[in-house]
Amino acid sequence: MASSDDEADVGPQSVSNYYFVDDEDAPTSFSVLPLQWSKSESVNEKKKQQMFLHGSVDNGLQTIHKEVTAWKFDLLNEIPDISVLTKENNWIKLEKPRKSFEEIIRTVLITVHCLHFARRNPEASGKSVWDHLCKVFSLYDVRPSLNDLVDHMALISEAVRRDDWLAKSKFLLAFLEEKPRKRKLSDEDVKATTVSAFIVDNVDDDILEDAVEDESDEVDELFDSVCAICDNGGALLCCEGSCMRSFHPTRLDGEESNCDTLGFTRREVDAIERFLCKNCEYNQHQCFACGELGYSNKSSGAEVFRCANATCGHFYHSHCIAKLLHQEDEVAVGELEKKVATGESFTCPIHKCYICKKGENKKIKELQFAVCRRCPTSYHRKCLPKEIVFEKKEEEEEEEEEEGKGGGGGGEEEEEETAAARAWEGLLPNRVLIYCLKHEIIDDLGTPSRDIRFPNVEEKKKKRILELPGSSGKLLPKKRRLTSEDSFSAKTVAKELNGSYSGVTKIASIKRSEKISSGSDLLRKVKTNDAFRKSLKENTKSCSTDVDRSATTTINKTSLGDRLYRVMTKRSEQVKLQKQVLHSSELNKTMTVKTSARKLSNELPSLDAETEKRILALIKEAASSITMDDVKKKHKVPSTHAYSSKTVVDKTITTGKVEGAVEAVRTALRKLEDGCSTEDAKAVCEPEVLNQVFKWKNKLRVYLAPFLYGMRYTSFGRHFTKVEKLKEIVNVLHWYVQDGDMVVDFCCGANDFSCLMKKKLEETGKKCSYKNYDVFQPKNDFNFEKRDWMTVQPDELPKRGSQLIMGLNPPFGVKAALANKFIDKALEFKPKLLILIVPPETERLDKKRTPYDLVWEDDQFLSGKSFYLPGSVDENDKQMEQWNVTAPLLYLWSRPDWSVKHKAIAQKHDHLFMRRGGSNLEKSCHDSKSPDHPVEVHCCNPGTSEVTDDLYMESKEPNHEIALIGGRKECSPHENGDKESQDSHGLERNRSEETSRKTKHIEDKIGRGTGEKLPKNKWKGGKPSGSDTNKEVPHRSPTNVVDGRTSQEGPPSRSLETPMHTKVGENSLPNLESGMPSSHLPYGTAYGGSMSYVHEDVGSKYSMNGMEYSHGIHGFPHANLEEQSTGNMREIAEDIGYRSYVTGLERGSDMRSQVRFYGQDVDYSVQRNYLGGLEPGYGQMGPLSSIPYGHVGAAVESSYRMNMPAMQRYAPRLDELNHTRMNNFGSDPSMLNRNNIIYDSRAPRPGPPGGHVDSMGFAPGPQYPYPHSSAGWLNE
Amino acid sequence: MESTAEAKYAAFEEKVKRTIFVDNLSPQVTETVLAKALNQFGTVVSASLIPNYLETGNILCALVEMEDSEKANKVISSITEFPFLIAGMPRPVRARFAEVEMFDDRPVKPGRRVRCSWLDPSDPDFEVAKKLKRLTRKHAAEASFLLKQQLDREEKLHKQQVENLKANFKKYEMIVGVLSDKTVQSLAGHYGMRVSDDL
């Protein structure tokens, strides 16, 4: 079998950082080279393809560039050696590949390692083999798997045949016995499955996994994921245009199905940002009926028209489609033709079954379509003619796993010579891919003739297609049989097919695989001669020498080539070589350059062409040495941001698809309105499309966030809790800390928390240790470790969980996704206490797998300006402060076995009281305020036209309340005594009832009357958080509520609106000053907002504030767009938003409430704007009447954004709390986004998963008459 | 006299060590902005923009003095590791250690004396001086050429990104358009399906 070096030591012995390229400069695996099995058996086969080895030798001191002709491996040593034979007959051992090249040779490396291991451990089971391989290839992104071996079945079987030791390996024998086929997966799937198969030893992967899975379930369930040319899956490039097609971009990708492909090189593909196929580029599309190209530009004399279906993307001549749709009726044909020609939309026959003329229903298998890829014909599965044969049953299974239907099709043929397979499962999503009986299947393609035409290359293409079958058709079937008997994988089959296409048909009939491949080598060589010459020339050019063409030709080509190669690889020699090559004329030229350079004036000398070229060459070289992978490696992304949705957004959500979908939705609705049947509408726009639209929107929204809100984020998008706030937290927390505990801050930010804790604890005589983690360097190094929290393992901390106290402020993420991750990670350590600042939508710890008990929570503590943006300044060079529109909560969670103790502490030190202090104060001024609230709520209802949604909402919220009250009631005996338990009881109760409540909210609504009574007494029980006050206020006037509801159902009444608004506007000003709890206003304001929303639908465009830069770091915010979207808002913002809250601030006297109102003002100003809109006479707001709510909202933000250039991710967070919560709310299926705007207020927190106290902030107001028994706990 | 100069120079060298050179700043960045931005990694002693006499370009660079060299090191690694944007500018900032030559107010190296004099064209040093002058100019020209190339590339990349962004934004607008005029919702109503805006 393999041998050691048999050549004299000429040249380098080993090479590292290597990679191989073929004559097209595309990276290739050396495994396509012939394999030399033993010394004696020299490689006498002709190579099919030129291949060059690049790499560094002499420990990286030199680089080489050599043509290689063969490879071999040696399994005898400790680790397997792989060597390649250079053209000079010199074996070079391969050390470590270049990182970016690993992926390309992974299969062969894994195979060789597998052989190596199997040889040494013949008894080894499959599991130990894979364990070993996973260890060896631990750095690979994707775990080694059977798929990697499948590619090299031939190699393995040959190795087993030749090596007795290997022949003993149970694993290999079993493997060969099995004859596994490669799983058929599109590339997204591959990612998802392989990643999810990961051993979760690395959190990065874990997170990535989530992200990827998240992606893949979304990835185009609706659109074809097969190549438009060859109808096979694999790595595809999606056209951005309206054709919605995908193509195999490179020859390699299309190899197995003999796809013509787009003929790009891998590098070209990578460089393409937005691919537009030639058809879409030139607006010339093929008619799917007649196949002719026609102009499709609707604005200038279109000949072909696109089917209106959202996912179709086929074009038709008006007469073709008319004929298709009305086959007999000539009058109708004429009419339709005219209509279509004038732009009327139509749906092509694909969307109705050819037999029964009914539409598709993807949810029912029998009603799924089988769609012909060559003409507009579809059948239901149940209607599919018998003649259209599927592949045989056993094959069908593997069809899904098999990479190519090309190979599978071949397999089919051999067993059933009579009928070629015409139908395939698993290629189209929820559909069957067929070729209907009109099309003759060409044997060696496995498909009918492929007639995709592009505008300018059509002639050439067509010819090629015609030629292909003729040249090698006859011999192919035989060969196929052979190969499949040899149990080759689909892929190798495909490869060989390809080889034979190039003409090696005779050799192809030889049985042994290596001979076949060598055969194909032969003919490759013919081609390569040219290619070689070509590459020579290119090299000459690229060398930046000014060598004259004529000079080049006079010099012997090869020798020049060799020299030039050296030039390429060795920069140091370049100049010298240049000189050698340079002719006297060139020398003269440089001389003149020099002389001219002498006459330098004071200006900067313009560079001569020579120098410029030299610099350009340098740039080019430097650029080529940087690969994306290198950059990615260098910039470690925090694990929480490891995934970017860029590719999805760019490549999957194509403009064409979006356009198509949007158009289709419109068309479908129009059709319905015109009285068409739902069936017809569905033919235009499947219900799934609607879901897709929402999904797209969310994806895009998240992706675009930094651009829409660009200026507000610098650096790393953090927000830090203010030191004053931290001090307060520390003051509370230190009671719970015991001597010897360890305080861990998993996202320490400025690292103040630990320092403050230390100070405080030392004051109180407790000695503790501290540990602080963050991915960013803090200003203060106190016990800091620069680590990604997700990578910290529990055993790394010196203390056990019962001595751990963890906190504090994790990054939030979209819908608290990041916060949840951080918390989950923290829970792995089983800390006895967790102190958390997290958004309300964070999953509560009592809902975790290992539930924690809530000691206390506070939703008011962090409202207002509790945060600041590190590294950012406002226009006065002051540190920017920050508030959250919806304040995050401060929680203290306890491990269950410590709960009793901690709760005792909480009680002892009256932490519950402390937390409410602020709100009690505020309470006192309620009485005067409360009348406003019903009014506000009231006025909102007419404004929102989504009657049903609102109803739903409204009725849901009160139910919450009821449930909670129920919980309270039970606890009430304890009254103030045991608030914690009360709290949690109530909450749990609330939770448990939540589901049932949701379903029967209507009934609940009816039963509201009783529900309303319930709370009265119970409120006294002491709602633990300050937000109660809010709830109580509106209780007063139940009748109004009812009014509100009824008016909701009716048409919006203006007369109601205006006065109320004024009222709200005016009244709430005093509210501000007198220190009303924050959540009051937002009710009104939010509703106001929603009203304006109704007026201006545009508003929703801007309602996307609530997004997170999940890919923040990847983002490259661009000012232009930002300007475009927010430009006009800024002015407004300056005028109103900013100023108005500045004044609000000034007015406040009580620090605490002031802080709160500050945040509130955002909404407030919005409302004012709106008021202005309604009543032009209303102060200076008048001119703004046309500003939609969202707009203003954004403007308000942009106002501070403007002033503080270095705004941050967390600024969006402010309104994000707002808006994302809206989104959460949206999870309630009937809840649409714009309704959520209604919730766009800070205090009410209707987080769906929460169902916690705060979630009732909003609704209970109107629902429950509450006779101000607030005194009940004012006294407390 | 001599000793104070030396001490002064030593102090200056210390300063150099704890100073970082920040490059690729957007023109909107001011010294305060910069200082604040870097203050999150460690105490910034001072930050000063370096005036650029050669180029009229819009890229600023600055020297930021940190409390100690260790911090400076950490700042550099932070900035290098994560793309660091100051003032929300699309250009990630670069940072490296400052060098003595970057300070325009650097004290004279003790023991070094600079003497200026006019050279007579006949002086043998005249040619040498001229050569040096030319070389300097050439280097400047080369540097500016290089910078231009680089900026061109950046511009190209930028354009590409803008284009992508616009395309994505367009998609978004289209979708939002069809959502906000409730076409989707009412169609969903017709289909009797419940659509959710939440993933």
Side-chain angles (χ1 to χ4, degrees), chain A residues 913-965:
Chain A
F913 176 74
M914 192 209 68
R915 281 178 294 119
R916 276 193 311 247
S919 45
N920 282 346
L921 260 177
E922 286 146 12
K923 198 122 180 232
S924 53
C925 44
H926 273 210
D927 303 46
S928 55
K929 296 314 153 217
S930 42
D932 294 348
H933 296 281
V935 178
E936 283 165 17
V937 175
H938 192 153
C939 78
C940 85
N941 290 336
T944 49
S945 62
E946 279 74 33
V947 172
T948 46
D949 293 342
D950 280 355
L951 255 175
Y952 188 76
M953 234 162 50
E954 289 237 347
S955 54
K956 188 181 162 198
E957 290 309 320
N959 299 335
H960 258 261
E961 181 69 1
I962 289 164
L964 189 97
I965 284 154

Side-chain angles (χ1 to χ4, degrees), chain B residues 156-196:
Chain B
K156 217 172 111 195
L157 182 69
H158 173 81
K159 277 202 186 115
Q160 203 179 30
Q161 285 171 335
V162 171
E163 203 177 288
N164 276 344
L165 194 57
K166 280 195 179 139
N168 282 328
F169 187 68
K170 207 178 120 204
K171 293 178 210 167
Y172 182 78
E173 293 241 287
M174 275 194 287
I175 290 175
V176 165
V178 82
L179 284 180
S180 62
D181 63 13
K182 298 185 200 113
T183 312
V184 173
Q185 287 88 334
S186 50
L187 189 61
H190 283 292
Y191 289 170
M193 60 188 281
R194 301 175 101 194
V195 284
S196 130

Side-chain angles (χ1 to χ4, degrees), chain A residues 385-401:
Chain A
K386 279 203 301 286
E387 294 80 10
I388 297 178
V389 269
F390 274 95
E391 287 168 301
K392 280 180 93 187
K393 271 290 171 206
E394 73 241 22
E395 300 239 5
E396 209 171 287
E397 219 182 1
E398 94 197 7
E399 186 56 53
E400 288 185 355
E401 298 183 0

Side-chain angles (χ1 to χ4, degrees), chain B residues 104-150:
Chain B
D104 50 2
D105 57 347
R106 62 178 179 271
V108 181
K109 202 174 180 178
R112 184 174 172 212
R113 217 157 283 151
V114 181
R115 192 165 48 86
C116 302
S117 65
W118 290 105
L119 276 180
D120 189 76
S122 60
D123 192 302
D125 281 346
F126 185 78
E127 266 310 297
V128 178
K130 264 223 132 139
K131 236 183 197 164
L132 282 173
K133 228 166 114 185
R134 266 202 306 276
L135 193 65
T136 315
R137 287 221 179 85
K138 190 163 190 255
H139 285 164
E142 282 174 357
S144 78
F145 178 75
L146 191 63
L147 187 65
K148 197 175 146 273
Q149 294 298 321
Q150 198 190 338

Side-chain angles (χ1 to χ4, degrees), chain A residues 118-260:
Chain A
R119 188 173 190 279
R120 298 180 141 239
N121 308 283
E123 294 295 314
S125 67
K127 189 178 173 300
S128 60
V129 172
W130 293 119
D131 284 350
H132 169 77
L133 291 176
C134 286
K135 227 183 284 164
V136 174
F137 297 99
S138 58
L139 291 175
Y140 280 22
D141 294 339
V142 179
R143 215 176 146 189
S145 72
L146 215 54
N147 282 350
D148 296 307
L149 297 186
V150 167
D151 276 351
H152 300 281
M153 280 291 267
L155 193 153
I156 293 169
S157 59
E158 182 65 16
V160 170
R161 195 181 61 84
R162 284 166 180 267
D163 191 320
D164 294 342
W165 286 97
L166 279 177
K168 284 178 192 154
S169 164
K170 285 181 178 166
F171 170 75
L172 290 178
L173 291 180
F175 173 73
L176 292 172
E177 194 75 19
E178 250 173 52
K179 298 179 186 172
R181 296 289 186 120
K182 192 143 178 165
R183 295 169 56 122
K184 144 88 181 96
L185 293 164
S186 75
D187 44 355
E188 289 100 339
D189 290 343
V190 169
K191 234 197 215 159
T193 45
T194 45
V195 174
S196 53
F198 257 18
I199 309 171
V200 188
D201 55 349
N202 184 338
V203 196
D204 289 28
D205 304 331
D206 208 7
I207 287 158
L208 200 69
E209 179 186 343
D210 293 350
V212 171
E213 275 175 0
D214 191 32
E215 260 354 290
S216 59
D217 62 49
E218 188 254 4
V219 160
D220 284 4
E221 305 255 296
L222 289 167
F223 297 93
D224 298 348
S225 50
V226 294
C227 172
I229 301 170
C230 68
D231 308 319
N232 198 3
L236 296 172
L237 185 61
C238 208
C239 171
E240 271 289 315
S242 50
C243 72
M244 302 185 225
R245 294 177 299 179
S246 305
F247 304 90
H248 284 126
T250 68
R251 301 233 168 268
L252 194 70
D253 294 327
E255 206 170 25
E256 69 179 82
S257 51
N258 273 309
C259 183
D260 274 344

